Amino acid sequence: MKQLKLEHGGNLYEACKKYDLERKELLDFSANINPLGIPEVLKEQIINSLDQLMDYPDPNCCELRENISKYVGVPTFSIIAGNGASEIIFLLFRVLGLKHVTIPAPCFSEYAKAAEYWDAEVDYFEMQEADNFNLDIEELKHYLKPNTQCVFICNPNNPTSCIISKEDLIDLLDFCKKTNRYLIIDEAFIELTLGQQYNSMVTLIKDYSNLFIIRAFTKILAIPGLRLGYGIGEESVIGRMWQQKLTWSVNTFACNVGNSLEYLTEYFEKTRIWLANESEWIYNELCQLGCFKVFKPNTNFVLLKILNNKSKNSCTSMELTAFELIELMAKKGILIRNASNFKYLGDSFVRVAIKDRANNVRLIQAFKAVMGSD
Amino acid sequence: MKQLKLEHGGNLYEACKKYDLERKELLDFSANINPLGIPEVLKEQIINSLDQLMDYPDPNCCELRENISKYVGVPTFSIIAGNGASEIIFLLFRVLGLKHVTIPAPCFSEYAKAAEYWDAEVDYFEMQEADNFNLDIEELKHYLKPNTQCVFICNPNNPTSCIISKEDLIDLLDFCKKTNRYLIIDEAFIELTLGQQYNSMVTLIKDYSNLFIIRAFTKILAIPGLRLGYGIGEESVIGRMWQQKLTWSVNTFACNVGNSLEYLTEYFEKTRIWLANESEWIYNELCQLGCFKVFKPNTNFVLLKILNNKSKNSCTSMELTAFELIELMAKKGILIRNASNFKYLGDSFVRVAIKDRANNVRLIQAFKAVMGSD
């Protein structure tokens, strides 16, 4: 049997079992979900479409694509829908025949998992802690090997919460075009950045056939349980992805999500206001704890490095590993993400989501209690 | 772009567009779903678990597996869950490294689709119309080539509605074991047969490591839109499937279906009564039309061959192809399945689901009107 382990954030079933807690006793800071929760219009839609489950979902997701097309402003033939971003990533390796890819790391692990599945070689380009894990585009260009077919970029990046400027990305995109490489940008968190659509590279799809963008409604609409991701790319790539994809992998409720998008203006506005306030607030609070090196967040999560007692600024009298901190926090009913299994991150890194104020206060208080600074 | 076509039954989005109809104007006899509809307990469960969508689904489907384990009577380590039976079929090729398979045909097309995806060679063993498409096990054994790694059997078979006796299947299973081959049995419709669990080969899993069974809740619980299939097999095969499977491909609502199973005794009983009555009734009605050769159904659908006007018993004064009949029926608001794209079936074959009495009466009346026998 597969070893069951907390490989990703948000594995609450395992966490509850491990810490002997009921789901409702656990506050989840390990998955980075919009704390405004599922939009009401989406819940109503599910309730009103229960009987639609008796039909097969549209295998071609035609209406969903039309709705996404309006939402992101690209033609329907540029859009593939999938069972979360994971299916899109998986399909990309198959359709583009990727055998040599470069992944700047630390980074989301599903690209490497798909690479392993498809026997593709991965070169990891290390982003430096000294640079706060910001990507050095020039260094990356020099690093790419002749046989590298594509570069995976997660923007904003998980788990570092770094964002790359559009100018830098266009620079890299031009370089990739010139050197005959794909640039694949995962924008799963793009709506959860200040600047939002401006940060997205979606509008460049029409000009660059070597650009592919991965997106999902998982984070912004708080629906990881529903499974809905999508990809935006060049028509022939998208066409081949439709041919290769698992029939009916997008369920009926996920297909219907598109119908809600036009009613979500207020929800998106509220999200913007929450994010602007909370990311600033929690960053300052975490810095004041003095127990962490806090990496400035550009989206709805924060990477933290535990300062041990040899560090000047540490507030703790003990040396804590990420694992130990997580155990202590779990005993307080708070689940945070062990970030030590991200490549190039040692066992002193954790990641926390940014939630609403009341919950963020609980997080800070728990850190104080656990790390001895209150 | 992929050519959008009605490749499977139940593609209602395309059908509505093609025939310029609203969904509610179309009575769907093209997909074979339990006409009792979605159990109420399942609908309530979805409504009560809306907020659970904010968590990722359990990637290991632990509770679901425990519930399926109780339902089918095999240990949890023998069970893999997937996004419909399609994901299970797809995974099997990968995990068993299938490169040469035999498929008795006419048969469900997803095995061949998965084979094509994985560059596996398919030998089709033709089941004869003269035998009413019943599988001749002895002939099949002789037909298998030395390099054949496995045989796919759909039981009861889609689209012929034939069922193979347990004795014959055990005979074939023993032969496969002796000759070092897998026997993969798709039991997607097994609960929709008279005899139900008796017809299933599930209990033999513990004795045969070369046996694998594909199942789904799609048909029996009338939830094709939710996407829930499962596979039952030897522990090490199942373990490798979990390792290779798309993360989170089973959504939260699908994971929760298992929780309803213990409350469905009455639903299953009603299904049995409906099936016993209706399959007999519709078979007789269809025979009396005199327009079709009617293949006796062993599950909730019937294969029909249109008798043209050269046939002695034909009721029609014209020659109708399956395609033409489907067009005429669609104009009456009834969608039936063109079966001519199943291997070895010509353009005079159609398939119809068995629904509840009121709808079955509508089907018969429409056939009469269209084929000129009323």
Side-chain angles (χ1 to χ4, degrees):
Chain A
M1 284 300 296
K2 187 184 183 183
Q3 275 299 315
L4 304 179
K5 53 182 188 227
L6 302 180
E7 189 182 348
H8 286 281
N11 192 334
L12 292 161
Y13 181 82
E14 284 300 300
C16 287
K17 225 163 68 174
K18 184 171 176 183
Y19 302 117
D20 197 22
L21 290 167
E22 296 281 311
R23 170 65 188 95
K24 61 177 187 286
E25 296 174 292
L26 201 60
L27 184 55
D28 182 23
F29 274 86
S30 77
N32 309 313
I33 303 302
N34 189 339
L36 299 189
I38 306 164
E40 283 305 316
V41 60
L42 205 52
K43 291 188 191 176
E44 283 162 27
Q45 197 183 62
I46 290 173
I47 293 169
N48 294 332
S49 61
L50 284 171
D51 284 331
Q52 221 185 315
L53 292 181
M54 279 193 283
D55 295 339
Y56 276 84
D58 170 14
N60 306 301
C61 306
C62 296
E63 280 188 354
L64 173 61
R65 275 196 283 176
E66 281 166 27
N67 286 314
I68 293 176
S69 164
K70 283 179 210 148
Y71 175 64
V72 292
V74 300
T76 54
F77 60 69
S78 309
I79 300 166
I80 172 92
N83 188 289
S86 298
E87 189 183 15
I88 307 295
I89 297 165
F90 181 90
L91 271 170
L92 270 174
F93 275 84
R94 165 85 179 188
V95 162
L96 301 180
L98 301 179
K99 288 295 167 198
H100 293 93
V101 306
T102 290
I103 305 176
C107 197
F108 183 49
S109 62
E110 288 284 305
Y111 321 132
K113 189 180 166 191
E116 192 187 339
Y117 188 98
W118 291 110
D119 271 329
E121 207 176 288
V122 177
D123 297 317
Y124 290 101
F125 173 76
E126 184 171 359
M127 297 187 284
Q128 304 293 328
E129 188 187 333
D131 299 336
N132 293 317
F133 297 113
N134 283 301
L135 179 64
D136 187 323
I137 299 282
E138 289 308 313
E139 289 275 341
L140 174 64
K141 288 189 209 166
H142 289 295
Y143 173 86
L144 297 178
K145 295 184 183 162
N147 64 1
T148 300
Q149 295 165 282
C150 97
V151 181
F152 276 89
I153 299 276
C154 186
N155 193 47
N157 188 43
N158 179 4
T160 62
S161 208
C162 291
I163 196 161
I164 307 169
S165 76
K166 204 163 186 171
E167 293 64 36
D168 276 354
L169 280 177
I170 293 173
D171 180 26
L172 180 61
L173 180 58
D174 280 325
F175 178 81
C176 286
K177 187 178 182 180
K178 217 164 53 194
T179 55
N180 211 15
R181 294 179 171 110
Y182 286 100
L183 179 61
I184 298 170
I185 305 178
D186 182 348
E187 296 190 347
F189 290 97
I190 205 79
E191 288 118 327
L192 292 161
T193 60
L194 300 176
Q196 298 198 43
Q197 298 306 335
Y198 175 76
N199 296 324
S200 172
M201 295 282 278
V202 159
T203 53
L204 283 97
I205 283 290
K206 64 180 187 310
D207 305 317
Y208 291 86
S209 61
N210 67 321
L211 175 62
F212 192 96
I213 291 169
I214 299 163
R215 302 209 28 187
F217 289 111
T218 306
K219 324 289 181 180
I220 179 70
L221 300 185
I223 49 168
L226 206 52
R227 316 308 306 133
L228 180 57
Y230 57 107
I232 301 165
E234 195 263 324
E235 184 173 0
S236 74
V237 172
I238 294 292
R240 278 178 286 149
M241 288 175 91
W242 279 109
Q243 276 163 3
Q244 299 283 333
K245 121 178 229 312
L246 194 67
T247 319
W248 309 298
S249 69
V250 183
N251 67 73
T252 299
F253 294 141
C255 278
N256 288 347
V257 165
N259 302 330
S260 298
L261 293 173
E262 59 176 316
Y263 306 109
L264 292 178
T265 323
E266 200 188 333
Y267 179 87
F268 287 125
E269 183 56 28
K270 273 190 187 167
T271 302
R272 263 187 286 274
I273 294 168
W274 152 73
L275 187 66
N277 289 333
E278 284 307 300
S279 60
E280 190 69 19
W281 185 85
I282 203 168
Y283 175 71
N284 290 329
E285 289 290 316
L286 288 166
C287 287
Q288 280 171 31
L289 287 179
C291 315
F292 298 112
K293 177 172 177 184
V294 185
F295 296 86
K296 200 163 172 58
N298 286 286
T299 180
N300 66 329
F301 54 85
V302 193
L303 182 67
L304 303 171
K305 186 182 185 185
I306 304 164
L307 299 172
N308 66 40
N309 63 359
K310 292 184 195 102
S311 311
K312 257 195 287 193
N313 301 323
S314 172
C315 59
T316 63
S317 53
M318 48 187 173
E319 283 197 41
L320 270 184
T321 62
F323 178 79
E324 289 159 348
L325 175 59
I326 283 152
E327 297 280 310
L328 291 169
M329 292 294 279
K331 283 181 188 145
K332 302 225 160 255
I334 292 180
L335 187 65
I336 63 174
R337 171 73 151 89
N338 187 341
S340 65
N341 66 345
F342 284 98
K343 195 160 180 82
Y344 300 129
L345 294 189
D347 67 355
S348 55
F349 285 88
V350 297
R351 191 194 68 193
V352 294
I354 301 176
K355 297 175 89 74
D356 56 20
R357 181 65 55 92
N359 284 319
N360 293 338
V361 167
R362 275 190 61 190
L363 176 77
I364 299 292
Q365 283 170 343
F367 273 142
K368 282 182 182 166
V370 159
M371 303 185 84
S373 63
D374 73 350
Chain B
M1 283 301 293
K2 186 185 183 183
Q3 274 301 314
L4 304 180
K5 54 181 186 231
L6 302 181
E7 188 182 346
H8 286 280
N11 192 333
L12 293 160
Y13 182 83
E14 283 301 300
C16 287
K17 224 163 68 174
K18 184 171 175 183
Y19 302 116
D20 198 21
L21 291 167
E22 296 281 311
R23 171 64 188 94
K24 61 177 186 286
E25 297 174 292
L26 201 58
L27 184 54
D28 182 23
F29 274 86
S30 77
N32 309 314
I33 302 302
N34 189 339
L36 299 188
I38 307 164
E40 283 305 315
V41 60
L42 204 53
K43 290 189 192 176
E44 282 162 27
Q45 196 183 62
I46 290 173
I47 293 170
N48 293 332
S49 61
L50 284 170
D51 284 332
Q52 220 185 315
L53 292 181
M54 280 192 283
D55 294 339
Y56 277 85
D58 170 14
N60 305 302
C61 306
C62 296
E63 280 189 353
L64 174 61
R65 275 195 284 174
E66 280 165 27
N67 286 313
I68 293 176
S69 164
K70 283 178 211 150
Y71 175 63
V72 293
V74 300
T76 53
F77 60 69
S78 310
I79 300 167
I80 172 93
N83 188 289
S86 298
E87 190 184 15
I88 306 295
I89 297 165
F90 181 90
L91 271 170
L92 270 174
F93 275 84
R94 166 85 180 188
V95 162
L96 302 181
L98 301 178
K99 288 294 168 199
H100 294 92
V101 306
T102 290
I103 305 176
C107 197
F108 183 49
S109 62
E110 288 284 304
Y111 322 131
K113 190 179 167 192
E116 192 187 340
Y117 188 98
W118 291 110
D119 272 331
E121 208 176 287
V122 178
D123 297 317
Y124 290 101
F125 174 77
E126 185 171 357
M127 295 185 286
Q128 304 294 328
E129 189 187 332
D131 299 336
N132 292 318
F133 297 114
N134 283 301
L135 179 63
D136 186 324
I137 299 283
E138 289 308 315
E139 289 274 340
L140 174 64
K141 287 189 209 166
H142 289 295
Y143 174 85
L144 297 179
K145 296 184 182 159
N147 63 2
T148 300
Q149 297 164 282
C150 97
V151 181
F152 275 90
I153 299 276
C154 186
N155 193 48
N157 188 43
N158 179 4
T160 62
S161 208
C162 291
I163 196 160
I164 307 170
S165 75
K166 206 163 185 172
E167 293 65 35
D168 276 353
L169 280 177
I170 293 172
D171 180 26
L172 181 60
L173 181 58
D174 280 325
F175 178 82
C176 286
K177 189 177 182 180
K178 216 163 52 191
T179 56
N180 210 15
R181 294 178 171 112
Y182 285 100
L183 178 62
I184 297 170
I185 305 179
D186 182 348
E187 296 190 346
F189 289 97
I190 205 78
E191 288 117 328
L192 292 161
T193 60
L194 300 176
Q196 299 196 44
Q197 298 307 333
Y198 176 76
N199 296 324
S200 172
M201 295 281 278
V202 159
T203 53
L204 284 96
I205 283 289
K206 63 180 187 312
D207 304 317
Y208 291 86
S209 62
N210 67 320
L211 175 63
F212 191 95
I213 291 169
I214 299 164
R215 302 207 32 183
F217 289 110
T218 305
K219 324 289 180 179
I220 179 70
L221 300 185
I223 49 168
L226 206 51
R227 316 307 305 133
L228 179 58
Y230 57 107
I232 301 166
E234 196 264 324
E235 184 173 1
S236 74
V237 172
I238 294 292
R240 278 180 285 150
M241 288 175 91
W242 279 110
Q243 275 162 4
Q244 298 283 332
K245 126 179 225 309
L246 194 67
T247 319
W248 309 298
S249 69
V250 183
N251 67 73
T252 298
F253 294 141
C255 279
N256 288 347
V257 165
N259 301 330
S260 297
L261 293 173
E262 60 176 316
Y263 306 109
L264 292 177
T265 323
E266 200 189 333
Y267 179 87
F268 287 125
E269 183 55 28
K270 275 190 186 167
T271 302
R272 263 187 286 273
I273 294 169
W274 152 74
L275 188 66
N277 289 332
E278 284 308 300
S279 60
E280 190 68 18
W281 184 86
I282 204 169
Y283 175 70
N284 289 329
E285 290 290 316
L286 288 165
C287 287
Q288 280 170 29
L289 287 178
C291 314
F292 298 111
K293 176 171 177 184
V294 186
F295 296 86
K296 200 161 173 60
N298 286 287
T299 179
N300 66 329
F301 53 85
V302 193
L303 182 68
L304 302 171
K305 186 182 184 185
I306 305 164
L307 299 172
N308 66 42
N309 62 359
K310 290 182 196 104
S311 312
K312 258 194 284 192
N313 302 322
S314 173
C315 60
T316 65
S317 54
M318 48 187 172
E319 283 197 40
L320 270 184
T321 62
F323 178 79
E324 288 159 349
L325 174 59
I326 282 151
E327 297 281 310
L328 291 169
M329 291 294 280
K331 283 181 187 144
K332 301 226 161 257
I334 292 181
L335 187 66
I336 63 174
R337 172 73 151 89
N338 187 340
S340 64
N341 67 346
F342 284 97
K343 194 158 182 84
Y344 301 129
L345 294 189
D347 67 355
S348 55
F349 284 88
V350 297
R351 191 194 69 195
V352 294
I354 302 176
K355 298 176 88 76
D356 56 20
R357 180 65 55 91
N359 284 319
N360 292 339
V361 167
R362 274 190 63 189
L363 176 77
I364 298 293
Q365 284 170 343
F367 273 142
K368 283 182 182 166
V370 159
M371 301 184 88
S373 64
D374 72 352

